[in-house]
């Protein structure tokens, strides 16, 4: 077990509870931690310096930012890859592993790629691994192993993810002093506020530097505010239209509707560019202060500090207090050495040297003078970039302020406000005032209060602007100078890419992959822009930033997927189907019986006796009113208007291209009462379309009710169906009293029903519709009445065979988005001389010009050979095979004892009964011949019986 | 996510609606159109960058088809309304 040799004495305000401790492992070794430690802080306390290996060159990487922005501390825990160990709390028994290193973190063979780095410049994969092509499978295997970070477990179930909706009048993003002030100001005007803070505790940077004494007072003001809801550990990941926000808290995804947003998101510390800038031991100021003050960890033993601003000096002092030797402080801001440090003015870091960790830095004074200092910690301070991604997503515009050395907002989106450091306001006083200003503005935008008083802007002005910070250009030294740590993109790579013509930041980003890694540009975006501008001789104002898009941080797919909730729809007969051995299948959202064990037997039962199928999933439309006939006349290709009361017919609906979109049966139940069905999967679409035309003016005098779920429906089919039905009703079912293509209403088994006689299956059959609540009773009554006749329930599969034996189409199976009604073979249904209907104009063209392809039937020449649906039909042209059609439906017919189906063929061929053609299947040709019309009972006697 | 103001139901999330395309009236005398003109009606749309009038269907609500004015670049919806006198070409 490794000792925590770098743990300091207790620090005021630290986040750890030293009274308890526990153990966890990293790379198989055991470490101790206290509650409140992150994985990284506990490891750092034990002197661990190397946390990961970089993406491309497998360079050793150590803690850099401490804020969850950079990729250096990513580890794998179980099946969860890419865990930020500087953010994730350590837990007892946790088994943490390194990523992207083999065989081990300390000894990674893949780091040998560094010797081939000349062969792997920026964009190399666009130019290599192309020939020889037979090696592609090998390239892919090797590259897949080498590329990527972390391992995904394909068997992981991703459990425990949840989703919650929130509403707020003002959402404040960021719980530092600015955000807290904004929330208090807005709530003070009566707004309901949601305050989201990324870290586990409020306070932002005040938790570990700056005016830390101000924090308790702020938190006290916040406590017990009824109008402010606080979410910690919650990262706002995206801004969407009308102030819709996404936020992630562990395994929960929040979807938030705000009426206004205040971004108090602070700024990202930026690394400097010099050779060796990615060595473990090079850290940003915030990382050092977090380790010292939140976790009581000594980050090194001998430090050199680059102090660009007040924070840098605070780092130097804090290090000294912790017993770290501070070799020198590089300063540009004029403080002298009275503080007891050796201050070097005018020097910049030229190079960091070391193998697996920092050993010394080389400083240059710009005039050829150099100094070498031994150290194991180099602190980079004073370079910041506003964390404005969310604001950019919301459409706020920023311009580069060359005097201040950072981007400043030029135009905000209405309802979106920015305050504090992200708005260029440094220092606790300014941040409190600016937060207040934004909170009052947000409230005022909502009509609460009258906005900030005039004096507030004046106070802010008097505090002065952000101190100016010029960008530090990259130093010239020996070795790699990393701009993008996530993707291992160097300064040279950027210059090469620009020289190759990838000049715009958007192109440069995509070609070099700079800013496309886990940090998404937080650490590198601004530096990359500077380098790009410099390489092209442009000013920063001329370089256009790449577009900011959600999410602001990498989000687990599990968060976005949420729980496994898949709604299904059941008919009233669902349980009965299960109890009787049905194998269920999904048909859209519906569950339907595919068969009850033997589909062929079900087909035989219907043909020879009687069968019952549950068709409750059909769409059902009830039309009433004097205008219905005229409406239906326009919606369908066939006539409806003059259909007599008590009559029924098959209807086909096309779009204005003449393409078949749905079919069904319809009955006129009364002078002004019509009842039409649609296909199960087409129901919603047809309903929508009918609504459209009714509202567009065709619906005068017509009303529509959707009875799809209100009614159950069954098809009782077979020669014995009349006999079965007669046992349950007093309706006269004689062929004269209730003929084919008629509809009746009456009681069946005591239930008020509507019945229609049509012939999808090709047998004498009755489609019976009743209110869903009585569905199961009616079904069971029919099954009971049919017992003496050997009734069998039949499923979707048997129905498919039965209808195929009659060459009846299924919309969506035999038709597609190009199949017009005439080419499908529905000439008998289309009435072109109606004055107008959907599809008429296009169908007139087809009628005149003829179809190029037609849907027709076929039979296989060899018995027992059933070709798969979708197989291509081929013909010969000039000695070569070409595709001339394909199979849409194909089954073995138990009734006929042979394989039959429907297919598309060129018109001439499709119309020749008995013509032979070939089906292509895996290099073989299967022979078939054209069959026109129904395969079974072509005269249609059975349905009319 | 966009908020749409359904003339019937008021402001609802865009996920409740289905976009119905640019306003593109069906020619009243389709039979007299040439092939090219008919194909143009079927398949061609202005698709301009700017404010356009378009249809929306309240799919998960009242089932109303209504019109909206939306800027196709900024995404901002300026108004929603019901067509006044639905055209009937009887």
């Amino acid at each position: 077990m490794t000792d925590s040799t770098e743990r300091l004495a207790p620090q005021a305000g630290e986040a750890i509870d030293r009274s308890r401790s526990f153990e966890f492992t990293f790379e198989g070794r055991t470490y101790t931690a206290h509650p409140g430690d992150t994985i990284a802080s506990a490891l750092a306390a034990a002197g661990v310096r190397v946390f990961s290996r970089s993406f491309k060159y497998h360079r050793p990487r150590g803690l850099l930012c401490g804020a969850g922005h950079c990729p250096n501390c990513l580890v794998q825990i179980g099946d969860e890859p890419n865990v930020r160990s500087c953010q994730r709390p350590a837990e007892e028994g946790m088994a943490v592993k390194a990523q992207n290193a083999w065989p081990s973190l300390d000894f990674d063979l893949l780091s040998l790629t560094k010797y081939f780095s000349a062969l792997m410049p920026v964009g190399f994969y666009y130019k290599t691994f192309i020939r020889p092509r037979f090696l592609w499978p090998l390239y892919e295997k090797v590259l897949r192993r080498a590329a990527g970070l972390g391992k995904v477990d394909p068997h992981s179930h991703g459990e425990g993810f949840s989703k919650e909706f929130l509403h707020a009048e003002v959402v404040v993003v960021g719980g530092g002093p600015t955000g807290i002030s904004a929330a208090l100001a807005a709530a003070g005007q009566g707004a309901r506020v949601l305050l989201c803070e990324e870290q586990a505790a409020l306070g932002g940077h005040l938790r570990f530097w700056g005016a830390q004494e101000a924090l308790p007072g702020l938190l006290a003001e916040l406590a017990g505010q009824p109008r402010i809801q606080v979410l910690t550990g919650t990262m706002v990941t995206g801004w969407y239209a009308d102030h819709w926000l996404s936020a992630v808290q562990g395994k929960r995804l929040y979807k938030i509707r705000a009426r206004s947003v205040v971004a108090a998101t602070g700024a990202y510390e930026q690394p400097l560019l010099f050779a060796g800038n990615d060595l473990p031991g090079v850290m940003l100021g915030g990382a050092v202060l977090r380790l010292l003050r939140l976790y009581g960890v000594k980050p090194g033993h001998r430090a050199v500090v680059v102090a660009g601003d007040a924070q840098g000096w605070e780092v130097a002092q804090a290090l000294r207090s912790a017993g770290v030797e501070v070799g020198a402080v590089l300063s540009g801001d004029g403080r002298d050495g009275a503080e007891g440090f050796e201050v070097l003015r005018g020097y910049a870091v030229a190079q960091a040297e070391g193998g697996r960790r920092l050993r010394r830095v080389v400083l240059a004074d710009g005039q050829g003078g150099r100094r070498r200092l031994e150290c194991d910690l180099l602190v980079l301070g004073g370079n910041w970039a506003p964390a404005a991604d969310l604001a950019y997503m919301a459409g706020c515009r920023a311009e580069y302020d060359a005097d201040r050395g950072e981007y400043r907002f030029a135009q905000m989106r209405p309802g979106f406000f920015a305050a504090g450091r992200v708005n260029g306001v440094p220092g606790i006083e300014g941040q409190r005032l600016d937060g207040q200003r934004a909170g009052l503005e947000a409230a005022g935008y909502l009509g609460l209060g009258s906005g900030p008083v005039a004096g507030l802007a004046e106070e802010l002005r008097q505090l002065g602007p952000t101190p100016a910070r010029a960008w530090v250009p990259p130093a010239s030294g020996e070795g790699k100078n990393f701009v993008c740590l996530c993707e291992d993109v160097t300064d040279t790579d950027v210059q090469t890419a620009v020289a190759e013509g990838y000049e715009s930041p958007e192109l440069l980003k995509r070609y070099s992959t700079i800013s496309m890694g886990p940090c998404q540009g937080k650490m590198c975006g601004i530096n990359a822009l500077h380098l790009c501008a410099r390489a092209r001789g442009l000013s920063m104002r001329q370089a256009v930033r790449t577009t900011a898009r959600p999410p602001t941080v990498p989000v687990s797919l599990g968060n976005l997927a949420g729980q496994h909730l898949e709604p299904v729809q059941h008919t009233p007969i669902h349980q009965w189907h299960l109890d009787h051995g049905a194998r269920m299948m999904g048909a859209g959202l519906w569950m339907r019986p595919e068969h009850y064990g033997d589909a062929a037997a079900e087909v035989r039962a219907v043909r020879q006796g009687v069968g019952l199928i549950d068709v409750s999933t059909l769409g059902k439309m009830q039309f009433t009113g004097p205008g219905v006939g005229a409406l239906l006349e326009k919606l369908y290709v066939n006539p409806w208007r003059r259909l007599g009361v008590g009559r029924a017919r098959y209807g086909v609906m096309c779009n204005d291209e003449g393409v078949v979109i749905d079919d069904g049966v319809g009955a006129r139940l009364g002078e002004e009462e019509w009842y039409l069905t649609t296909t199960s999967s087409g129901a919603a679409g047809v309903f929508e379309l009918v609504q459209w035309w009714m509202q567009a003016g065709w619906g005068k005098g017509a009303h529509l009710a959707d009875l799809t779920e209100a009614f159950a429906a069954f098809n009782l089919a077979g020669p014995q169906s009349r006999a079965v039905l007669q046992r349950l009703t007093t309706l006269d079912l004689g062929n004269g009293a209730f003929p084919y293509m008629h509809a009746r209403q009456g009681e069946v088994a005591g239930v008020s029903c509507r019945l229609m006689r049509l012939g999808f299956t090709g047998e004498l059959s009755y489609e019976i519709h009743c209110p869903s609540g009585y569905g199961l009773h009616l079904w069971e009554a029919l099954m009971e009445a049919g017992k003496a006749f050997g009734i069998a329930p039949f499923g979707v599969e048997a129905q498919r065979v039965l209808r195929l034996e009659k060459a009846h189409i299924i919309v969506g199976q035999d038709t597609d988005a190009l199949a017009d009604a005439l080419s499908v073979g529905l000439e008998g249904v289309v009435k072109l001389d109606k004055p107008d209907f959907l599809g008429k104009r296009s169908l007139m063209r087809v009628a005149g010009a003829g179809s190029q392809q037609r849907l027709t039937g076929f039979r296989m020449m060899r018995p027992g050979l059933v070709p798969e649906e979708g197989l291509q039909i081929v013909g010969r042209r000039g000695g070569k095979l070409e595709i001339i059609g394909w199979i849409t439906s194909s089954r073995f017919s138990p009734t006929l004892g042979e394989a039959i189906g429907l297919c598309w063929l060129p018109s001439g061929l499709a119309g020749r009964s008995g013509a032979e053609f070939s089906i292509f299947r895996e290099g073989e040709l299967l022979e078939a011949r054209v069959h026109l019309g129904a395969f079974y009972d072509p005269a249609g006697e059975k349905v009319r019986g | 996510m966009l908020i749409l103001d359904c003339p019937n139901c008021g402001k609802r999330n865009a996920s409740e609606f289905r976009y119905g395309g640019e306003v593109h009236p069906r020619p009243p005398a389709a039979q007299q159109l040439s092939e090219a003109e008919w194909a143009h009606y079927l398949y061609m749309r202005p698709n301009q960058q700017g404010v356009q009038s378009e249809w929306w269907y309240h799919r998960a609500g009242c089932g109303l088809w209504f019109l909206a004015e939306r800027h196709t670049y900024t995404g901002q919806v300026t108004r929603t309304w019901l067509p006044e006198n639905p055209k009937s070409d009887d």
Side-chain angles (χ1 to χ4, degrees), chain A residues 666-725:
Chain A
R668 189 170 196 169
L669 300 177
E671 273 306 315
E672 294 183 0
E673 194 187 340
W674 304 71
Y675 184 64
L676 275 81
T677 66
T678 75
T679 61
S680 303
S681 49
V686 170
F687 200 76
E688 194 183 290
L689 182 143
V690 173
Q691 291 273 44
W692 160 258
W693 286 110
M694 287 180 75
Q695 290 174 32
W698 289 1
K700 281 210 172 68
H703 299 274
L704 170 61
D706 179 1
L707 297 183
T708 303
E709 281 113 20
F711 271 47
F714 318 126
N715 197 11
L716 183 69
Q720 303 297 335
S721 53
R722 177 183 283 122
V724 172
L725 186 57

Side-chain angles (χ1 to χ4, degrees), chain A residues 176 234 248 275 277 317 369 377 408 506 540 590 659 697 794 810 908 938:
Chain A
T234 305
V248 171
N277 62 347
Q317 280 155 11
L377 174 65
R408 307 296 296 274
E506 293 278 13
M540 272 297 271
W590 293 100
V659 167
F794 67 103
I810 289 178

